[in-house]
């Protein structure tokens, strides 16, 4: 019925659709009498919009009047049409008799009601702009002009769509001044994205970029299919200069615009474009929060590469070649390391997601054309970073990374070269499960990804990703990631070389991320759990084993001068877990814990006392039996939230009991 209200078919010099539309209006009139209001509620918005459109924009007066009568009947009997009385007053049976008045006056009034604005604009753009009657086409354009103030953001999107359609339809405007107007409109839309609401911004940007591509392809080439050098220079230089604008949305718009330029406009300018986009991806203190512009620049780089194509020994000004492929990969790989956070959360995730997609697109482009441009080092970096992302805590980004990882692993037209441990990976991730493996489900993802810990090339990056997941706050992710890690640790307990390798990697991850709270805080939590689960029991039989000593020193360095409650609490658990190792370690651990017993924060003192008490219960053999009960009594009976001088006295009693040197106050230098 809704389709019938706009049905129009031209035969010869006339239309045969008016009878159908008139009948559809009668059906709508009958609806008002046949159904209860509650039954029509789900369809009210569609019916009311369709009747208003027919009453105002139909070519035939009898159809407009029929639609107006049907609208009136529904308003009277149903009482649920939005703004029904107001619209009827303006568009009654007699008012809709004048077609020009309907298009230019009544339509503007009705478009002021938000429920009808977008449906009216959509109808004019999709049905009336290309109508067979030239009078209707002219009235439609004038109506769109008049309605624009009611929905400027939406109209910006629709005008760009119009430009795209006109370009694709090969309108004979080559060399006409109107092309300059269209170009100005596209540029203006991209330059003023900040004025558009966030809900409409992406739609306007995509419409403008799509229109630009169509416009350039149709009107900016000569007979030889080449660009006018002056126009090319002006356009590319202008767009590249906008990439350093202080407004993030302007960077976004022009990044995507550069990505949409056809090959003839990029020819001879490729390096200038890539350098401009590369600068957008660099994080500086002034634009650290510009995650969306970095995302769009990375997307644009991949689009540019796909547009210009690959030629190994070609010019770096025209093709992806041996002279610029390393620079392209370096830029994309930098995006995978973006962990920027702000009030919106992990905004760096948008950048990482775009970087992973672009890495996949560029790699597959090279593989299908000149695979020898991909060297072993680049391929290893790509697969390792993807493995790390596949082990991290946010389901959405983990799923995307896993999908890209498996796409590259199982691509065979031809296969991606130099993938480390390809055979082992294909055994862990069979081709048959490429589509069915649910990376969003922690219960499916982590048992697979932890198996990569046994592959030397991936061990560091997978462990880095797991550290964030195992030490995270999301219960499901934490549970399955931790269990998968513990299962792997049990499996290698009988393999000294594998265990030593794992521990070296673990210490390397910790050392590389000292004071990087995104990694170090959850890493401390993970270490606490691993020590409590006996993952390093093999080392407890050896006196003064280097692993716990190095781990102790790193933990001590991590919390030095720290005021982060979560970090300090996690470190207490690690120190208590280290007490199980024999040798000089124990005195150092006790000393560190006794320092924390007199920490300026009462909550840290209380937590330390509680965990030391539990430690002595668990590892009672680390203290002589004669003093154990007395030490535990001091820990349990003391109010560790009391004033520091009182607490310090009780702490010193513990030091004397356990024969640990008393920590000395360092005088403040005035």
């Amino acid at each position: 019925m809704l389709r019938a209200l706009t049905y129009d078919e031209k035969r010869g010099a006339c239309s045969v659709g008016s009878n159908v539309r008139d009948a559809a209006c009668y059906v709508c009139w009958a609806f008002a009498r046949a159904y209860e209001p509650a039954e029509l509620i789900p369809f009210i918005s569609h019916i009311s919009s369709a009747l208003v459109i027919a009453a105002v924009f139909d070519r035939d007066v009898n159809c407009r009047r029929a639609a107006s009568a049907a609208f009136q009947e529904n308003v009277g009997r149903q009482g649920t049409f939005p703004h029904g009385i107001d619209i009827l007053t303006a568009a009654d049976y007699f008012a809709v008799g004048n077609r020009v008045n309907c298009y230019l006056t009544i339509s503007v009034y009705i478009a002021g009601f938000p429920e009808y604005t977008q449906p009216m604009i959509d109808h004019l753009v999709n049905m009336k702009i290309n109508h067979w009657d030239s009078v209707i086409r002219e009235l439609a354009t004038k109506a769109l002009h008049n309605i624009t103030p009611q929905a400027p953001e939406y109209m910006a999107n629709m005008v760009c769509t119009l430009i795209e359609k006109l370009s694709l339809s090969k309108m004979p405007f080559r060399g006409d001044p109107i092309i300059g107007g269209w170009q100005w409109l596209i540029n203006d839309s991209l330059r003023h994205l900040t004025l558009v609401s966030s809900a409409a911004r992406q739609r306007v940007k995509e419409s403008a970029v799509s229109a630009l591509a169509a416009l350039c392809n149709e009107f900016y080439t000569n007979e030889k299919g080449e660009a006018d050098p002056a126009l090319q220079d002006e356009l590319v230089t202008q767009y590249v200069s906008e990439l350093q604008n202080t407004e993030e949305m302007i960077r976004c718009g022009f990044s995507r615009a550069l990505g949409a330029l056809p090959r003839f406009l990029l020819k001879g300018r490729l390096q200038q474009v890539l350098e401009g986009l590369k600068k957008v991806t660099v994080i500086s203190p002034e634009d650290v929060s510009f995650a969306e512009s970095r995302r769009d620049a990375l997307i644009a780089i991949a689009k540019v590469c796909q547009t210009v194509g690959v030629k190994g020994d070609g010019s770096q000004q025209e093709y992806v070649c041996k002279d610029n492929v390393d620079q392209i990969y370096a830029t994309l790989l930098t995006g995978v390391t973006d962990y920027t956070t702000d009030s919106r959360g992990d905004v760096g995730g948008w950048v990482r997601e775009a970087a992973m997609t672009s890495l996949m697109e560029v790699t597959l482009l090279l593989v299908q054309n000149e695979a020898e441009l991909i060297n072993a080092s680049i391929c290893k970096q790509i697969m390792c970073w993807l493995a790390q992302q596949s082990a991290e805590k946010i389901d959405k980004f983990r799923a995307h990374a896993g999908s890209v990882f498996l796409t590259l692993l199982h691509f065979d037209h031809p296969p991606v070269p130099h993938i480390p441990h390809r055979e082992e990976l294909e055994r862990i991730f069979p081709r048959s499960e490429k589509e069915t493996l649910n990376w969003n489900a922690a219960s499916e993802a982590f048992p697979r990804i932890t198996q990569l810990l046994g592959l030397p090339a991936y061990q560091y990056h997978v462990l880095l990703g797991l550290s964030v997941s195992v030490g995270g706050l999301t219960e499901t992710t934490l549970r399955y990631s931790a269990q998968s890690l513990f299962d792997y640790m049990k499996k290698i307990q009988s393999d000294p070389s594998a265990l030593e390798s794992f521990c070296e990697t673990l210490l390397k991850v910790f050392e590389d991320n000292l004071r990087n709270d995104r990694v170090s805080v959850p890493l401390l939590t993970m270490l606490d759990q691993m020590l409590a689960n006996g993952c390093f029991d093999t080392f407890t039989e050896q006196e003064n084993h280097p692993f716990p000593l190095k781990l102790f020193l790193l933990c001590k360095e991590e919390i030095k001068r720290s005021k982060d409650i979560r970090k300090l609490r996690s470190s207490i658990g690690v120190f208590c877990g280290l007490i199980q190792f024999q040798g000089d370690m124990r005195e150092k651990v006790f000393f560190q814990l006794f320092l924390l017993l007199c920490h300026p924060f009462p909550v840290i003192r209380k937590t330390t006392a509680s965990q030391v008490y539990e430690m002595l219960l668990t590892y009672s053999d680390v203290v002589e039996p004669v003093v154990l009960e007395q030490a535990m009594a001091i820990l349990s009976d003391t109010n560790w939230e009391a004033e520091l001088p009182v607490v310090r006295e009780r702490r010193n009693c513990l030091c004397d009991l356990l024969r640990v040197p008393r920590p000395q106050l360092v005088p403040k230098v005035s």
Side-chain angles (χ1 to χ4, degrees):
M1 190 273 296
L2 294 175
R3 288 174 60 192
L5 282 170
T6 57
Y7 177 76
D8 194 12
E9 184 176 339
K10 185 173 183 289
R11 287 186 185 172
C14 60
S15 167
V16 297
S18 59
N19 291 335
V20 176
R21 298 197 300 276
D22 187 62
C25 291
Y26 177 71
V27 173
C28 291
W29 179 87
F31 278 173
R33 292 167 171 259
Y35 295 104
E36 292 295 324
E39 294 176 307
L40 283 182
I41 284 292
F43 313 103
I44 284 298
S45 63
H46 298 296
I47 296 173
S48 60
S49 297
L51 284 174
V52 161
I53 287 167
V56 178
F57 296 136
D58 200 285
R59 179 175 178 270
D60 297 298
V61 64
N62 62 310
C63 291
R64 293 199 299 275
R65 283 177 165 166
S68 176
F71 191 90
Q72 180 178 346
E73 189 71 12
N74 277 275
V75 170
R77 290 186 179 273
Q78 297 287 324
T80 51
F81 276 26
H83 311 287
I85 301 296
D86 295 330
I87 292 172
L88 273 179
T89 305
D92 61 20
Y93 182 85
F94 298 102
V96 297
N98 186 319
R99 186 164 62 187
V100 175
N101 183 53
C102 284
Y103 270 84
L104 304 186
T105 306
I106 298 175
S107 66
V108 177
Y109 174 74
I110 297 176
F113 302 115
E115 292 87 349
Y116 301 101
T117 312
Q118 289 190 14
M120 291 175 73
I121 293 172
D122 289 342
H123 177 77
L124 288 171
V125 171
N126 296 322
M127 304 289 288
K128 293 296 190 281
I129 284 289
N130 57 352
H131 197 272
W132 59 270
D133 187 340
S134 61
V135 175
I136 296 296
R137 294 199 298 271
E138 289 183 20
L139 285 173
T141 55
K142 291 175 181 178
L144 282 170
H145 174 269
N146 292 347
I147 292 173
T148 297
Q150 309 289 355
E153 295 177 2
Y154 195 68
M155 277 302 297
N157 176 49
M158 297 311 292
V159 170
C160 289
T161 303
L162 276 175
I163 293 174
E164 181 183 4
K165 288 181 177 179
L166 288 166
S167 299
L168 293 173
S169 62
K170 301 186 181 298
M171 297 296 285
F173 293 144
R174 190 178 294 273
D176 194 291
I178 196 173
I179 301 301
W182 289 358
Q183 181 68 62
W184 174 87
L185 183 60
I186 292 170
N187 294 347
D188 191 64
S189 298
L190 295 172
R191 201 172 279 118
H192 292 93
L193 286 171
T194 47
L195 304 179
V196 181
S197 68
S198 56
R201 191 176 292 152
Q202 186 66 18
R203 190 168 59 242
V204 171
K205 179 170 64 179
E206 289 175 357
S207 295
V209 167
S210 186
L212 174 69
L215 181 72
C216 292
N217 277 313
E218 181 57 31
F219 298 112
Y220 286 172
T221 56
N222 58 24
E223 295 78 11
K224 297 179 181 179
E226 298 174 345
D228 176 347
L231 185 147
Q232 179 190 25
D233 179 66
E234 180 187 354
L235 191 67
V236 174
T237 302
Q238 178 190 0
Y239 279 20
V240 170
S241 66
E242 293 286 7
L243 296 180
Q244 292 305 307
N245 199 290
T246 54
E247 289 283 352
E248 181 184 17
M249 286 302 111
I250 294 177
R251 293 189 185 189
C252 289
F254 285 96
S255 291
R256 295 297 292 271
L258 283 167
L261 291 180
R263 189 179 188 285
F264 64 85
L265 284 175
L266 293 169
K267 186 178 180 180
R269 297 281 180 165
L270 179 59
Q271 209 54 27
Q272 180 186 3
V273 170
L274 290 176
E275 283 292 338
L277 291 170
K278 178 184 176 182
K279 289 178 182 176
V280 181
T281 66
V282 175
I283 302 176
S284 64
E286 298 80 31
D287 53 26
V288 67
S289 64
F290 285 11
E292 289 177 77
S293 65
R294 295 196 291 275
R295 174 199 64 195
D296 284 350
L298 291 168
I299 293 172
I301 288 172
K303 298 299 180 192
V304 167
C305 292
Q306 290 173 323
T307 301
V308 299
V310 181
K311 190 174 181 181
D313 56 354
S315 166
Q316 62 178 342
Q317 293 291 357
E318 295 187 29
Y319 301 96
V320 176
C321 62
K322 61 185 179 182
D323 294 326
N324 61 15
V325 70
D326 288 344
Q327 172 203 337
I328 293 168
Y329 268 125
T331 304
L332 297 178
L333 285 166
T334 301
V336 190
T337 65
D338 193 324
Y339 286 92
T340 307
T341 57
D342 62 15
S343 58
R344 296 169 290 179
D346 180 16
V347 294
W350 306 336
V351 185
R352 298 197 302 277
E353 186 176 24
M356 289 185 281
T357 302
S358 296
L359 281 167
M360 177 184 70
E361 291 174 349
V362 171
T363 300
L364 296 183
L365 176 70
L366 290 170
V367 166
Q368 292 171 302
N369 291 277
E370 298 201 29
E372 60 272 14
L373 291 178
I374 304 174
N375 62 53
S377 172
I378 290 291
C379 192
K380 180 183 177 183
Q381 287 183 67
I382 294 171
M383 298 305 288
C384 287
W385 278 112
L386 288 172
Q388 178 183 324
Q389 297 297 321
S390 303
E392 291 206 351
K393 61 182 180 179
I394 301 178
D395 293 348
K396 176 187 174 184
F397 301 131
R398 184 174 68 243
H400 187 68
S403 173
V404 173
F405 186 88
L406 294 188
T407 298
L408 293 178
L409 174 63
H410 294 302
F411 189 79
D412 52 9
H413 302 293
V416 178
H418 310 303
I419 292 181
H421 306 289
R422 180 188 287 276
E423 291 181 6
E424 293 92 332
L425 290 176
E426 290 180 342
R427 191 164 54 250
I428 297 169
F429 302 104
R431 186 181 296 269
S432 59
E433 297 180 12
K434 177 188 171 187
E435 303 298 334
T436 57
L437 179 59
N438 183 6
W439 287 94
N440 275 306
S443 57
E444 289 189 42
F446 285 106
R448 300 294 184 90
I449 204 69
T450 47
Q451 294 181 50
L452 271 62
L453 289 170
L455 307 178
Y458 298 100
Q459 189 175 66
Y460 178 93
H461 286 85
V462 171
L463 187 53
L464 180 54
L466 278 174
S467 300
V468 179
S469 297
V470 177
L473 300 174
T474 308
E475 184 182 349
T476 308
T477 304
L478 190 157
R479 181 166 74 249
Y480 288 108
S481 59
Q483 189 55 54
S484 300
L485 177 60
F486 299 152
D487 290 345
Y488 173 78
M489 293 304 295
K490 285 178 186 175
K491 192 170 71 175
I492 64 170
Q493 290 299 309
S494 57
D495 186 346
S497 62
L499 188 59
E500 288 286 349
S501 172
F502 178 88
C503 291
E504 285 177 17
T505 305
L506 181 60
L507 292 172
K508 184 79 168 64
V509 169
F510 199 168
E511 190 174 359
D512 290 347
N513 292 279
L514 270 177
R515 306 238 169 76
N516 174 9
D517 289 357
R518 183 191 69 81
V519 176
S520 62
V521 174
L523 179 60
L524 286 169
T525 305
M526 182 184 81
L527 286 167
D528 180 15
Q529 294 182 55
M530 293 181 78
L531 289 164
N533 276 272
C535 293
F536 308 111
D537 280 356
T538 304
F539 301 149
T540 60
E541 300 165 7
Q542 305 174 41
E543 194 161 325
N544 293 324
H545 192 281
F547 170 71
L549 180 58
K550 290 177 184 174
L551 188 56
F552 171 81
L553 294 173
L554 287 169
C555 290
K556 184 178 173 183
E557 184 64 27
E558 178 64 36
I559 65 167
K560 193 175 181 180
R561 297 189 182 88
S562 175
K563 295 182 180 179
D564 185 328
I565 299 291
R566 187 181 168 211
K567 181 188 289 188
L568 290 166
R569 277 181 158 168
S570 299
S571 72
I572 295 166
V574 177
F575 288 131
C576 288
L578 288 172
I579 202 72
Q580 60 188 295
F581 297 99
Q582 300 180 34
D584 302 335
M585 273 286 301
R586 288 181 178 169
E587 184 177 316
K588 293 177 179 179
V589 168
F590 272 126
F591 185 83
Q592 188 63 40
L593 288 168
F594 291 163
L595 275 176
L596 290 167
L597 279 175
C598 286
H599 194 276
F601 296 167
V603 67
I604 297 301
R605 301 200 294 269
K606 186 177 180 181
T607 302
T608 305
S610 174
Q611 293 205 29
V612 171
Y613 185 90
E614 292 173 11
M615 177 191 78
L616 293 177
L617 279 176
T618 307
Y619 307 109
S620 55
D621 59 319
V622 303
V623 178
E624 295 176 9
V626 291
V627 299
L628 179 61
E629 285 189 22
Q630 195 174 350
M632 293 179 72
I634 293 174
L635 287 166
S636 60
D637 296 344
T638 303
N639 176 15
W640 295 100
E641 294 178 310
E643 296 295 323
L644 271 175
V646 177
V647 170
R648 192 172 291 116
E649 183 182 339
R650 302 300 291 161
R651 189 273 313 273
N652 288 343
C653 291
L654 276 174
C655 291
D656 296 341
L657 270 174
L658 302 181
R659 298 175 185 172
V660 175
R662 293 184 178 186
Q664 301 297 315
L665 282 172
V666 178
K668 291 184 180 179
V669 180
S670 57

